[in-house]
Amino acid sequence: MDILFAQIQADLRSNDALRQSGALLQALQQSAAGRDISVIAKSAVEEIVASPSSAVSKKLAFDLIRSTRLTADLWETVCIGIRNDLDFPDPDVTAAAVSILAAIPSYRLGKLITDCNKEISACFDSVSDNLRFSITETLGCILARDDLVTLCENNINLLDRVSNWWNRIAQNMLDKSDNVSKVAFESVGKLFQEFESKRMSRLAGDKLVDTENSVAIRSNWISSMVDFVWKKRNALMARSLILPVESFRATIFPLVYAVKAVASGSIEVIKKLSRSSNSRTNDTATDSVNAERFVGVSDVVSHLAPFLASSLDPALIFEVGINMLYLADVPGGKPEWASTSTIAILTLWDRQEYSSARESIVRAVVTNLHLLDLSMQVSLFKRLLLMVRNLRAESDRMHALACICRTALCVDLFAKESIRRGQKPLAGTDIASLFEDARIKDDLNSVTSKSLFREELVAMLVESCFQLSLPLPEQKSSGMESRVIGALAYGTGYGALNWTEPALEVVEVCRPCVKWDCDGRTYAIDCYLKLLVRLCHIYDTRGGVKRVKDGASQDQILNETRLQNLQRELVKDLREVNTPRICARLLWAISEHIDLEGLDPLLADDPEDPLNIIITNIHKVLFNIDSSANTTNRLQDVQAVLLCTQRLGSRNARAGQLLIKELEEFRGNPSADSVNKHQCRLIIQRIKYVSSHPDDKWAGVSDTRGDYPFSHHKLTVQFYDTSTAQDRKLDGLIHKAILELWRPDPNELIQLLTKGIDSSVIKVPPSAFTLTGSSDPCFVEGYHLTDPNDGRITLHLKVLNLTEIDLNRVDIRVGLSGGLYFMDGSPQAVRQLRDLNSQEPVLCSVTVGVSHFERCGFWVQVLYYPFYGSGGPSDYEGDYPEEDPQIMRQKKSLRPEIGEPVILRCQPYKIPLTELLLPHKISPVEYFRLWPSLPAIVECTGTYTYEGSGFKATAAQQYGESPFLSGLKSLSSKPFHKVCSHIIRTVAGFQLCYAAKTWYGGFVGMMIFGASEVSRNVDLGDETTTMICKFVVRASDASISKEIESDLQGWMDDLTDGSIEYMPEDEVKTAAAERLRISMERIALLKAAQPRAKSTKSDDEEEKEEEKEEESKENEEGEGKSKTKGPSTLFKLTAEEVEHRALQSAVLQEWHMLCKDRGTKVN
């Protein structure tokens, strides 16, 4: 291999262009085979890039450079070579030099562009098509990127030049050369796409977080490009038509984007964002302006439409179709534009060469369904469902299903409201039409089925109904969603309960799902029963069908009758339930809401009577001994059924008599354990008491709540079998798809466009951290921005030369520790800064990836060269003899002008561990279910000082300020979700619960226990104002807790910005002992001072409190001392556990109260 490399290097040194190009091709082969060719790259840079050479050799050398890593010095050589080549007489050599600009690292790019701006501008005027093509293509790739926008922020001259180049690129769309015209269209398209998706910046590894200036700069470029395209649209359409047909695709997006921006009015907001002097907004949108906009859109549509019918290229049909759908959404857009595009896109489904893009076809159609007219939407449902069924990717399938279900509900509501308003009914608009296709109908009605699709469909339909019951999201902008929301608002406009009509249809159509046998999976059936229970609660089916004289409307009477009939059908279906776990749940859902008073008393002995069927099934569940605990959760089933018996028996006398017999029999059965026997005894007593006191009933005691208590995340028992894992996975997928569609997180750009420049989206750079000392010759400060989506952190450094001399060269070396890594895999980054004038700041940035949750940091070194240019070859000292050829070569290659660097080591820049967390929303019930199961635990105690004691704290409480937590204030800005929306307060303490996830999905729960500052005797002695609080962190993975435990003080600093100090356990114990001693002395004084008999109530209470405290402290201290025997109970709980449980129940109690308050406010 060494011989081959030596041969390649020898060929590169020769002046023969043929040998050089052959050697470079060989080197590229070696690189493709994965070998390290950095030695050859060095030779290529020195022998070809930095020397005169042929255009082909230059091009190959640049390809070689792209495939390897270069040192900062070699990049310097490359930049010198490029500057020389830009003046080269042969335009092909210049074109090759221009093409490498896109690969130059961003820290070197700004200076190079600034130095060569005249040469770059001259390339646009070249007579050579090849050079114009190269400059348009390369600048189109560079100028849209984030790093260049950041460079422009700090350099006003560069900003002017770049804006000028964009105008030149735009003019090149009308260039006489087809290739140049095509690539100019592509470049403008890239700028538009980058504004929304930042794709190129991500690929270049430098997606930075937007600041206000960067948004303004990019908006300025966008608005100038949109203006150009809008004004020249006819010329551009004519130019695109004489391009070769394979190039036509590139011209579509820029035209459509610009025309849509003008027609929909978003260009006005973009101009406001750009804050340029010429952004005069014409608020008076006259009729002539509107007409011109509409004509402009129509022109573009008629320009594109012929390609849908006549083109043979599937990719072109798809591109045209997607863009016409994009245009159909503008004000004044016609449904025909959407329908022709949709039909054209659907024809691609059966095209063999386009089969890999089936997901894209479905996504394109379902996201634009709402643009079609009603009859077209209805006719597409059946076909789309069959297409979705065949999609491989789960996320695509879920998204498509969510869109179809939402549109179906939309159509149903819209059609019903139209009929109410006297319009002609349209066939096929009801929900049942989704299941009209024979295959889907068979799937729904068959008991067993191999496919998961039917479960996905039913669950998605039901969850969509629940979304429909919530208030519709606010939409200020006219966008893709506004039509859907308009249709939903139109359909649900009359009453808050209009959503129940389509929901009732869903429940009727999906009834066969209770008979399914899904290999133990219950998610879809649970969803169905949840909706059924909610509807029965809303319509109060227990009370029977209401009458007109009670004030019921015709619609309500009809709906209630349908629900009663559905319940009767479901009672009959009880015999045919095939999933054991579902039987008890269906029993609960029916018996809780069935109208027992409405049953015919003459049919009491008929086995077909609903009550008899229910009781038979209760018997079946109670005495079902054969089934294993895996197939049925017998414990839970029996509990559910016993609850049913209690509520059924207390509601109806006949049911009570029959159930007492069943319970008596069950009590005597050996399958009932002692707990069940006690429960039976209690329930029988209750039923007997109710039946003997029929007149003492309270109206609302056993009222229905509309809650379905069995959905899998509410269960404390977790089954670790495959079916439950699949249930949880399906639940996650469906909820994600539903939220993305119904409650999407608005895109950064959309937020800016709707809320304007004062939006909170634009990140304010955080406060900078100084890395150097006060007497250092260079001042360095840095701040970092994080991007959890890409798992990246960008460190921004500002370097200031504090010396009197101007430094020609300063190197910034950045090393990494912890889970950080550079995108290109190099061990460290070097940024070479040139010409640092005294007292003039220079900026640079480094973007890195984060591989896992770990403490990490940047280590910065500054190398500056005060003797730059003074050194010489004689400075080299070596012990080797002069004639050693290696020394001779080193002497020659040693650069005389660099001189010795002065190395300045900076403080490490540590990334707080909390930066690698994201808030995780979770309900308190779920949080406390999860908390005990988290395996990794860290406990630590911290102390903080608070201002004001006694009176001041009481006054603060009086005026609504928090009397505690002064040391924990900064927690609110950290990435934790507060599990309870308020603090749980007890007499002398508080508990805070927080939940977060790491960037990589690990769960972190944190509880903080502390004493409220108002209470006395809870800090470290009376004189101090130091509070103790205890942190308990539990994590799903031991590696997370290990990382936190490795530096507890660091973790507390990250959480509270340094306001809490870690306190070792032995210090905590001594403080507790001291406190105990003081309280004992006080109690002794109290006992001595006051006779027991005369003590007032308040003193008594106080004493009790002190005694309780003393007892708990004794328990804590009891490990070292001999244990005194207290009154025994069944469970030996420590004081801490008792307190913890009490706090937990307090959390849940207060949470329920809060929910109740919310409920009353809503009503």
Side-chain angles (χ1 to χ4, degrees), residues 22 41 91 99 122 150-151 202 226 232 288 320 339 347 360 373 420 434 439 506 578 657 698 802-803 1062 1091:
S99 70
T150 312
L151 288 170
R202 280 197 166 91
V226 168
K232 304 264 182 177
S288 61
V320 171
S339 54
T347 56
S360 322
D373 55 9
R420 268 193 217 114
L434 278 178
R439 272 176 286 184
V506 168
N578 288 295
Q657 289 165 356
W698 281 10
L802 296 177
T803 60
Y1062 169 63

Short mmCIF file of all heavy atoms in Angstrom, two decimals, residues 22 41 91 99 122 150-151 202 226 232 288 320 339 347 360 373 420 434 439 506 578 657 698 802-803 1062 1091:
data_model
loop_
_atom_site.label_atom_id
_atom_site.label_comp_id
_atom_site.label_asym_id
_atom_site.label_seq_id
_atom_site.Cartn_x
_atom_site.Cartn_y
_atom_site.Cartn_z
N GLY A 22 -4.70 10.62 -13.58
CA GLY A 22 -4.74 9.16 -13.31
C GLY A 22 -4.46 8.87 -11.83
O GLY A 22 -5.15 8.07 -11.19
N ALA A 41 -3.86 13.56 0.12
CA ALA A 41 -4.59 14.82 0.07
C ALA A 41 -3.63 15.99 0.28
O ALA A 41 -3.73 17.02 -0.39
CB ALA A 41 -5.68 14.85 1.13
N PRO A 91 -11.48 29.87 -18.05
CA PRO A 91 -12.71 29.87 -17.23
C PRO A 91 -13.02 28.51 -16.61
O PRO A 91 -13.67 28.42 -15.57
CB PRO A 91 -13.80 30.30 -18.21
CG PRO A 91 -13.25 30.11 -19.57
CD PRO A 91 -11.76 30.23 -19.45
N SER A 99 -16.33 25.77 -7.53
CA SER A 99 -17.15 24.65 -7.06
C SER A 99 -16.76 24.19 -5.66
O SER A 99 -17.59 23.62 -4.94
CB SER A 99 -17.07 23.48 -8.04
OG SER A 99 -15.77 22.91 -7.97
N ALA A 122 -17.41 38.99 -10.78
CA ALA A 122 -17.03 38.98 -12.20
C ALA A 122 -17.46 37.69 -12.88
O ALA A 122 -17.72 37.67 -14.09
CB ALA A 122 -15.52 39.17 -12.32
N THR A 150 -25.23 33.86 9.68
CA THR A 150 -24.57 34.31 10.91
C THR A 150 -23.39 35.23 10.59
O THR A 150 -23.16 36.22 11.27
CB THR A 150 -24.08 33.09 11.72
OG1 THR A 150 -25.14 32.16 11.80
CG2 THR A 150 -23.67 33.48 13.11
N LEU A 151 -22.63 34.87 9.54
CA LEU A 151 -21.50 35.73 9.14
C LEU A 151 -22.02 37.11 8.72
O LEU A 151 -21.43 38.14 9.04
CB LEU A 151 -20.73 35.09 7.98
CG LEU A 151 -19.88 33.87 8.31
CD1 LEU A 151 -19.37 33.22 7.04
CD2 LEU A 151 -18.72 34.26 9.19
N ARG A 202 -28.76 21.71 8.04
CA ARG A 202 -28.61 20.47 8.81
C ARG A 202 -27.53 19.59 8.18
O ARG A 202 -26.70 19.01 8.86
CB ARG A 202 -29.93 19.70 8.82
CG ARG A 202 -30.91 20.23 9.82
CD ARG A 202 -31.99 19.19 10.06
NE ARG A 202 -32.75 19.54 11.26
CZ ARG A 202 -33.84 20.28 11.24
NH1 ARG A 202 -34.30 20.74 10.12
NH2 ARG A 202 -34.47 20.56 12.36
N VAL A 226 -39.05 36.92 -4.00
CA VAL A 226 -40.49 36.79 -4.30
C VAL A 226 -40.94 37.95 -5.20
O VAL A 226 -41.67 37.75 -6.18
CB VAL A 226 -41.31 36.74 -2.99
CG1 VAL A 226 -42.80 36.90 -3.27
CG2 VAL A 226 -41.08 35.41 -2.27
N LYS A 232 -41.70 39.19 -12.76
CA LYS A 232 -41.25 38.59 -14.03
C LYS A 232 -41.92 37.25 -14.29
O LYS A 232 -41.39 36.42 -15.03
CB LYS A 232 -39.73 38.37 -13.98
CG LYS A 232 -38.92 39.62 -13.68
CD LYS A 232 -38.43 40.26 -14.97
CE LYS A 232 -37.58 41.48 -14.69
NZ LYS A 232 -37.05 42.07 -15.89
N SER A 288 -58.33 45.92 -7.51
CA SER A 288 -57.44 45.67 -8.65
C SER A 288 -56.26 44.80 -8.22
O SER A 288 -55.82 43.91 -8.95
CB SER A 288 -56.94 46.99 -9.25
OG SER A 288 -56.21 47.70 -8.26
N VAL A 320 -45.79 18.50 -10.11
CA VAL A 320 -46.82 19.43 -10.57
C VAL A 320 -48.07 19.31 -9.70
O VAL A 320 -48.66 20.30 -9.27
CB VAL A 320 -47.17 19.17 -12.07
CG1 VAL A 320 -48.38 19.99 -12.48
CG2 VAL A 320 -45.99 19.50 -12.95
N SER A 339 -58.83 18.76 -7.42
CA SER A 339 -59.30 17.43 -7.84
C SER A 339 -58.47 16.89 -9.01
O SER A 339 -58.12 15.71 -9.02
CB SER A 339 -60.79 17.46 -8.18
OG SER A 339 -61.04 18.48 -9.13
N THR A 347 -53.15 8.28 -9.88
CA THR A 347 -52.85 7.36 -11.00
C THR A 347 -51.43 6.80 -10.86
O THR A 347 -51.12 5.77 -11.46
CB THR A 347 -52.94 8.09 -12.36
OG1 THR A 347 -52.07 9.22 -12.32
CG2 THR A 347 -54.35 8.52 -12.67
N SER A 360 -45.52 8.69 -0.09
CA SER A 360 -45.62 10.11 -0.47
C SER A 360 -46.94 10.38 -1.17
O SER A 360 -47.56 11.43 -0.97
CB SER A 360 -44.48 10.51 -1.41
OG SER A 360 -43.30 9.88 -1.05
N ASP A 373 -64.15 18.97 -3.19
CA ASP A 373 -65.56 19.17 -2.84
C ASP A 373 -66.10 17.90 -2.18
O ASP A 373 -65.50 16.83 -2.26
CB ASP A 373 -66.39 19.58 -4.08
CG ASP A 373 -66.25 18.59 -5.20
OD1 ASP A 373 -65.65 17.52 -4.93
OD2 ASP A 373 -66.70 18.84 -6.33
N ARG A 420 -79.86 20.48 7.95
CA ARG A 420 -80.62 21.30 8.90
C ARG A 420 -80.97 22.65 8.29
O ARG A 420 -81.98 23.24 8.58
CB ARG A 420 -79.77 21.55 10.15
CG ARG A 420 -80.02 20.52 11.22
CD ARG A 420 -79.42 20.96 12.54
NE ARG A 420 -78.89 19.78 13.22
CZ ARG A 420 -77.61 19.57 13.47
NH1 ARG A 420 -76.72 20.44 13.13
NH2 ARG A 420 -77.23 18.47 14.06
N LEU A 434 -67.42 4.79 5.54
CA LEU A 434 -66.01 4.37 5.62
C LEU A 434 -65.88 2.86 5.53
O LEU A 434 -64.87 2.33 5.10
CB LEU A 434 -65.41 4.83 6.95
CG LEU A 434 -64.90 6.27 7.07
CD1 LEU A 434 -64.39 6.51 8.46
CD2 LEU A 434 -63.81 6.55 6.06
N ARG A 439 -64.05 -5.62 1.79
CA ARG A 439 -62.93 -6.16 2.56
C ARG A 439 -62.88 -5.55 3.97
O ARG A 439 -62.65 -6.25 4.96
CB ARG A 439 -61.61 -5.86 1.84
CG ARG A 439 -61.24 -6.96 0.85
CD ARG A 439 -60.00 -6.62 0.08
NE ARG A 439 -60.26 -5.59 -0.92
CZ ARG A 439 -59.35 -5.16 -1.78
NH1 ARG A 439 -58.14 -5.67 -1.76
NH2 ARG A 439 -59.63 -4.22 -2.67
N VAL A 506 -70.33 6.40 15.10
CA VAL A 506 -69.09 5.60 15.23
C VAL A 506 -69.34 4.43 16.17
O VAL A 506 -68.97 3.29 15.89
CB VAL A 506 -67.93 6.49 15.77
CG1 VAL A 506 -66.74 5.64 16.18
CG2 VAL A 506 -67.51 7.51 14.72
N ASN A 578 -64.90 -12.61 22.99
CA ASN A 578 -63.85 -13.62 22.85
C ASN A 578 -62.58 -13.29 23.61
O ASN A 578 -61.71 -14.14 23.78
CB ASN A 578 -63.50 -13.82 21.38
CG ASN A 578 -64.59 -14.56 20.65
OD1 ASN A 578 -64.84 -15.72 20.95
ND2 ASN A 578 -65.29 -13.87 19.75
N GLN A 657 -81.84 -8.39 44.82
CA GLN A 657 -82.17 -9.74 45.32
C GLN A 657 -81.34 -10.81 44.60
O GLN A 657 -80.77 -11.70 45.21
CB GLN A 657 -83.66 -10.02 45.10
CG GLN A 657 -84.55 -9.21 46.04
CD GLN A 657 -85.99 -9.22 45.57
OE1 GLN A 657 -86.31 -9.78 44.51
NE2 GLN A 657 -86.88 -8.59 46.34
N TRP A 698 -80.18 9.20 48.40
CA TRP A 698 -79.69 10.50 47.94
C TRP A 698 -79.59 10.46 46.44
O TRP A 698 -79.13 9.48 45.86
CB TRP A 698 -78.29 10.78 48.51
CG TRP A 698 -78.31 11.23 49.92
CD1 TRP A 698 -79.37 11.23 50.76
CD2 TRP A 698 -77.19 11.74 50.65
NE1 TRP A 698 -79.01 11.71 51.97
CE2 TRP A 698 -77.68 12.03 51.95
CE3 TRP A 698 -75.85 11.96 50.36
CZ2 TRP A 698 -76.85 12.54 52.93
CZ3 TRP A 698 -75.03 12.47 51.33
CH2 TRP A 698 -75.53 12.77 52.61
N LEU A 802 -6.60 41.90 23.52
CA LEU A 802 -6.44 42.98 24.50
C LEU A 802 -5.05 43.63 24.44
O LEU A 802 -4.78 44.59 25.15
CB LEU A 802 -6.67 42.45 25.92
CG LEU A 802 -8.09 41.94 26.21
CD1 LEU A 802 -8.17 41.38 27.62
CD2 LEU A 802 -9.12 43.04 26.04
N THR A 803 -4.16 43.07 23.59
CA THR A 803 -2.81 43.64 23.52
C THR A 803 -2.80 44.87 22.61
O THR A 803 -3.76 45.12 21.87
CB THR A 803 -1.82 42.61 22.96
OG1 THR A 803 -2.26 42.24 21.64
CG2 THR A 803 -1.78 41.37 23.83
N TYR A 1062 -24.82 21.68 48.49
CA TYR A 1062 -24.97 20.27 48.85
C TYR A 1062 -24.49 20.07 50.29
O TYR A 1062 -23.51 20.65 50.74
CB TYR A 1062 -24.15 19.41 47.89
CG TYR A 1062 -24.01 17.97 48.33
CD1 TYR A 1062 -25.14 17.17 48.44
CD2 TYR A 1062 -22.77 17.43 48.66
CE1 TYR A 1062 -25.04 15.86 48.86
CE2 TYR A 1062 -22.65 16.12 49.07
CZ TYR A 1062 -23.79 15.34 49.18
OH TYR A 1062 -23.69 14.04 49.60
N PRO A 1091 -49.42 23.49 84.58
CA PRO A 1091 -50.07 22.24 85.01
C PRO A 1091 -50.89 21.67 83.85
O PRO A 1091 -51.46 22.41 83.06
CB PRO A 1091 -50.98 22.67 86.17
CG PRO A 1091 -51.14 24.15 86.01
CD PRO A 1091 -49.94 24.65 85.29
#
